[in-house]
DNA sequence: CGAGTGACCGCAA
DNA sequence: ATTGCGGCCACTC
């Protein structure tokens, strides 16, 4: 029954990220079942549903993504709106805000 | 159908 | 310490 496309799973995980929380592409990819597909998550994010909270998804360094609609500028602003303190395009409380579904 | 690309990650020199 | 390169999988054209 669990045979949805990788993209479907990524959507589910991202959609489950609560406000004020963030996840890394690698974590999301691992939850989707492909720990080596962090790039795919990024690719899906670019071609995927923009209605999803992609702004809660950051890279392994807790930094903002590059292809985000509006650039890091918009990305940072969106995260700050969620209540995520950012500094120099890097989440200060990244390790504390890092969250995983099922936790 | 085939090929290229990507909002990444990890390691090596 | 920093920089550069490759690898991996799925998606799109």
């Amino acid at each position: 029954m669990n045979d949805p496309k990788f993209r479907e799973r990524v959507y589910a995980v991202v959609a489950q990220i609560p406000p004020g929380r963030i996840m890394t592409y690698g974590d999301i990819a691992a939850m989707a079942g492909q720990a080596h597909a962090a790039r795919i998550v990024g690719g899906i994010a670019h071609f995927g549903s923009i209605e999803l909270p992609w702004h809660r998804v950051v890279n392994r360094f807790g930094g903002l993504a590059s292809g985000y609609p509006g650039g890091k500028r918009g990305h940072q602003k969106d995260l700050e709106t969620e209540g995520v303190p950012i500094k120099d395009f890097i989440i200060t409380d990244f390790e504390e805000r890092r969250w995983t579904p099922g936790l």
Side-chain angles (χ1 to χ4, degrees), chain A residues 5-7 39-40 44 47:
Chain A
K5 295 189 177 185
F6 191 75
R7 144 160 93 114
R39 313 183 61 160
I40 324 308
I44 290 165
F47 287 99

CSV table of all heavy atoms in Angstrom, one decimal, chain A residues 5-7 39-40 44 47, chain C residues 7-13:
chain,number,residue,atom,x,y,z
A,5,LYS,N,4.5,7.7,-5.1
A,5,LYS,CA,5.8,8.1,-5.7
A,5,LYS,C,6.5,8.9,-4.6
A,5,LYS,O,6.0,9.4,-3.6
A,5,LYS,CB,5.5,9.0,-6.8
A,5,LYS,CG,4.9,8.2,-7.9
A,5,LYS,CD,4.8,8.9,-9.2
A,5,LYS,CE,4.2,8.0,-10.2
A,5,LYS,NZ,4.1,8.5,-11.4
A,6,PHE,N,7.8,8.9,-4.8
A,6,PHE,CA,8.7,9.6,-3.8
A,6,PHE,C,8.2,11.0,-3.6
A,6,PHE,O,8.1,11.5,-2.5
A,6,PHE,CB,10.1,9.7,-4.4
A,6,PHE,CG,11.1,10.1,-3.3
A,6,PHE,CD1,11.5,9.2,-2.4
A,6,PHE,CD2,11.6,11.4,-3.4
A,6,PHE,CE1,12.4,9.6,-1.4
A,6,PHE,CE2,12.5,11.8,-2.4
A,6,PHE,CZ,12.9,10.9,-1.4
A,7,ARG,N,7.7,11.6,-4.6
A,7,ARG,CA,7.2,13.0,-4.5
A,7,ARG,C,6.0,13.1,-3.6
A,7,ARG,O,5.9,14.0,-2.8
A,7,ARG,CB,6.8,13.5,-5.9
A,7,ARG,CG,5.6,14.3,-5.8
A,7,ARG,CD,5.4,15.2,-6.9
A,7,ARG,NE,4.5,14.6,-7.8
A,7,ARG,CZ,3.3,15.1,-8.0
A,7,ARG,NH1,2.9,16.1,-7.3
A,7,ARG,NH2,2.5,14.6,-8.9
A,39,ARG,N,18.8,15.5,-3.0
A,39,ARG,CA,18.7,16.3,-4.2
A,39,ARG,C,17.3,16.2,-4.8
A,39,ARG,O,16.7,17.2,-5.3
A,39,ARG,CB,19.7,15.9,-5.2
A,39,ARG,CG,21.0,15.7,-4.6
A,39,ARG,CD,22.0,15.3,-5.6
A,39,ARG,NE,22.0,16.4,-6.5
A,39,ARG,CZ,23.0,16.6,-7.3
A,39,ARG,NH1,24.0,15.7,-7.3
A,39,ARG,NH2,23.1,17.6,-8.1
A,40,ILE,N,16.7,15.1,-4.7
A,40,ILE,CA,15.4,14.9,-5.3
A,40,ILE,C,14.4,15.8,-4.6
A,40,ILE,O,13.5,16.4,-5.2
A,40,ILE,CB,14.9,13.4,-5.2
A,40,ILE,CG1,16.1,12.5,-5.3
A,40,ILE,CG2,13.8,13.2,-6.2
A,40,ILE,CD1,16.9,12.7,-6.6
A,44,ILE,N,12.0,18.3,-6.4
A,44,ILE,CA,10.5,18.2,-6.2
A,44,ILE,C,10.1,19.6,-5.7
A,44,ILE,O,9.0,20.1,-6.1
A,44,ILE,CB,10.2,17.1,-5.3
A,44,ILE,CG1,10.4,15.8,-5.9
A,44,ILE,CG2,8.7,17.2,-4.9
A,44,ILE,CD1,10.4,14.6,-4.9
A,47,PHE,N,9.7,21.9,-8.7
A,47,PHE,CA,8.6,21.6,-9.6
A,47,PHE,C,7.4,21.2,-8.9
A,47,PHE,O,6.4,20.9,-9.5
A,47,PHE,CB,9.1,20.4,-10.5
A,47,PHE,CG,10.1,20.9,-11.5
A,47,PHE,CD1,11.4,20.7,-11.3
A,47,PHE,CD2,9.7,21.6,-12.6
A,47,PHE,CE1,12.4,21.1,-12.2
A,47,PHE,CE2,10.6,22.0,-13.6
A,47,PHE,CZ,11.9,21.8,-13.4
C,7,DG,P,31.7,9.7,-9.6
C,7,DG,OP1,32.3,8.4,-9.7
C,7,DG,OP2,31.2,10.4,-10.8
C,7,DG,O5',30.6,9.7,-8.5
C,7,DG,C5',30.9,9.4,-7.1
C,7,DG,C4',29.7,9.2,-6.2
C,7,DG,O4',29.1,10.5,-5.9
C,7,DG,C3',28.6,8.4,-6.9
C,7,DG,O3',28.0,7.5,-6.0
C,7,DG,C2',27.6,9.5,-7.3
C,7,DG,C1',27.8,10.6,-6.3
C,7,DG,N9,27.6,11.9,-6.9
C,7,DG,C8,28.0,12.5,-8.1
C,7,DG,N7,27.6,13.7,-8.3
C,7,DG,C5,27.0,14.0,-7.1
C,7,DG,C6,26.4,15.3,-6.8
C,7,DG,O6,26.3,16.3,-7.4
C,7,DG,N1,25.8,15.2,-5.5
C,7,DG,C2,25.8,14.1,-4.7
C,7,DG,N2,25.1,14.2,-3.5
C,7,DG,N3,26.3,12.9,-5.0
C,7,DG,C4,26.9,13.0,-6.3
C,8,DC,P,27.2,6.2,-6.5
C,8,DC,OP1,27.6,5.0,-5.8
C,8,DC,OP2,27.3,6.2,-8.0
C,8,DC,O5',25.7,6.7,-6.2
C,8,DC,C5',25.4,6.9,-4.8
C,8,DC,C4',24.0,7.6,-4.7
C,8,DC,O4',24.2,9.0,-5.0
C,8,DC,C3',23.0,7.1,-5.7
C,8,DC,O3',22.0,6.3,-5.0
C,8,DC,C2',22.3,8.3,-6.2
C,8,DC,C1',23.1,9.5,-5.7
C,8,DC,N1,23.6,10.4,-6.8
C,8,DC,C2,23.4,11.7,-6.7
C,8,DC,O2,22.8,12.2,-5.7
C,8,DC,N3,23.8,12.5,-7.7
C,8,DC,C4,24.4,12.0,-8.8
C,8,DC,N4,24.8,12.8,-9.7
C,8,DC,C5,24.6,10.6,-8.9
C,8,DC,C6,24.2,9.8,-7.9
C,9,DC,P,21.1,5.3,-5.9
C,9,DC,OP1,20.7,4.1,-5.1
C,9,DC,OP2,21.7,5.1,-7.3
C,9,DC,O5',19.8,6.2,-6.1
C,9,DC,C5',19.0,6.7,-5.0
C,9,DC,C4',17.9,7.6,-5.4
C,9,DC,O4',18.5,8.9,-5.9
C,9,DC,C3',17.1,7.1,-6.5
C,9,DC,O3',15.7,6.9,-6.0
C,9,DC,C2',17.2,8.0,-7.6
C,9,DC,C1',17.8,9.3,-7.1
C,9,DC,N1,18.8,9.9,-8.0
C,9,DC,C2,18.8,11.2,-8.3
C,9,DC,O2,17.9,11.9,-7.8
C,9,DC,N3,19.7,11.8,-9.1
C,9,DC,C4,20.7,11.0,-9.6
C,9,DC,N4,21.6,11.6,-10.4
C,9,DC,C5,20.8,9.6,-9.3
C,9,DC,C6,19.8,9.1,-8.5
C,10,DA,P,14.6,6.4,-7.0
C,10,DA,OP1,13.6,5.6,-6.2
C,10,DA,OP2,15.2,5.8,-8.2
C,10,DA,O5',13.9,7.8,-7.4
C,10,DA,C5',13.4,8.6,-6.4
C,10,DA,C4',13.0,10.0,-7.0
C,10,DA,O4',14.2,10.6,-7.6
C,10,DA,C3',12.0,9.9,-8.1
C,10,DA,O3',10.9,10.8,-7.9
C,10,DA,C2',12.7,10.2,-9.4
C,10,DA,C1',13.9,11.1,-8.9
C,10,DA,N9,15.1,10.9,-9.8
C,10,DA,C8,15.7,9.7,-10.1
C,10,DA,N7,16.8,9.9,-10.9
C,10,DA,C5,16.8,11.2,-11.1
C,10,DA,C6,17.7,12.1,-11.8
C,10,DA,N6,18.8,11.6,-12.5
C,10,DA,N1,17.5,13.4,-11.8
C,10,DA,C2,16.4,13.9,-11.1
C,10,DA,N3,15.5,13.2,-10.4
C,10,DA,C4,15.8,11.9,-10.4
C,11,DC,P,9.6,10.8,-8.8
C,11,DC,OP1,8.5,11.0,-7.9
C,11,DC,OP2,9.7,9.6,-9.7
C,11,DC,O5',9.9,12.1,-9.6
C,11,DC,C5',9.9,13.4,-8.9
C,11,DC,C4',10.2,14.5,-9.9
C,11,DC,O4',11.6,14.4,-10.3
C,11,DC,C3',9.3,14.6,-11.1
C,11,DC,O3',8.7,15.9,-11.2
C,11,DC,C2',10.2,14.3,-12.3
C,11,DC,C1',11.6,14.5,-11.8
C,11,DC,N1,12.6,13.6,-12.4
C,11,DC,C2,13.6,14.0,-13.2
C,11,DC,O2,13.7,15.2,-13.4
C,11,DC,N3,14.5,13.1,-13.7
C,11,DC,C4,14.3,11.8,-13.5
C,11,DC,N4,15.2,11.0,-14.0
C,11,DC,C5,13.3,11.3,-12.6
C,11,DC,C6,12.4,12.2,-12.1
C,12,DT,P,7.6,16.1,-12.4
C,12,DT,OP1,6.6,17.0,-11.9
C,12,DT,OP2,7.2,14.7,-12.9
C,12,DT,O5',8.5,16.8,-13.5
C,12,DT,C5',9.3,17.9,-13.2
C,12,DT,C4',10.0,18.5,-14.4
C,12,DT,O4',11.1,17.6,-14.8
C,12,DT,C3',9.1,18.6,-15.6
C,12,DT,O3',9.1,19.9,-16.2
C,12,DT,C2',9.6,17.6,-16.6
C,12,DT,C1',11.0,17.3,-16.2
C,12,DT,N1,11.4,15.8,-16.3
C,12,DT,C2,12.5,15.5,-17.1
C,12,DT,O2,13.2,16.4,-17.7
C,12,DT,N3,12.8,14.2,-17.2
C,12,DT,C4,12.1,13.2,-16.7
C,12,DT,O4,12.4,12.0,-16.8
C,12,DT,C5,10.9,13.5,-15.8
C,12,DT,C7,10.1,12.5,-15.2
C,12,DT,C6,10.7,14.8,-15.7
C,13,DC,P,8.3,20.3,-17.4
C,13,DC,OP1,7.9,21.7,-17.3
C,13,DC,OP2,7.2,19.3,-17.5
C,13,DC,O5',9.3,20.1,-18.6
C,13,DC,C5',10.5,20.8,-18.7
C,13,DC,C4',11.3,20.5,-20.0
C,13,DC,O4',11.8,19.1,-19.9
C,13,DC,C3',10.4,20.5,-21.2
C,13,DC,O3',11.0,21.4,-22.2
C,13,DC,C2',10.4,19.1,-21.8
C,13,DC,C1',11.5,18.4,-21.1
C,13,DC,N1,11.1,17.0,-20.7
C,13,DC,C2,11.9,16.0,-21.2
C,13,DC,O2,12.9,16.2,-21.9
C,13,DC,N3,11.6,14.7,-20.8
C,13,DC,C4,10.5,14.5,-20.0
C,13,DC,N4,10.3,13.2,-19.7
C,13,DC,C5,9.7,15.5,-19.6
C,13,DC,C6,10.0,16.8,-19.9
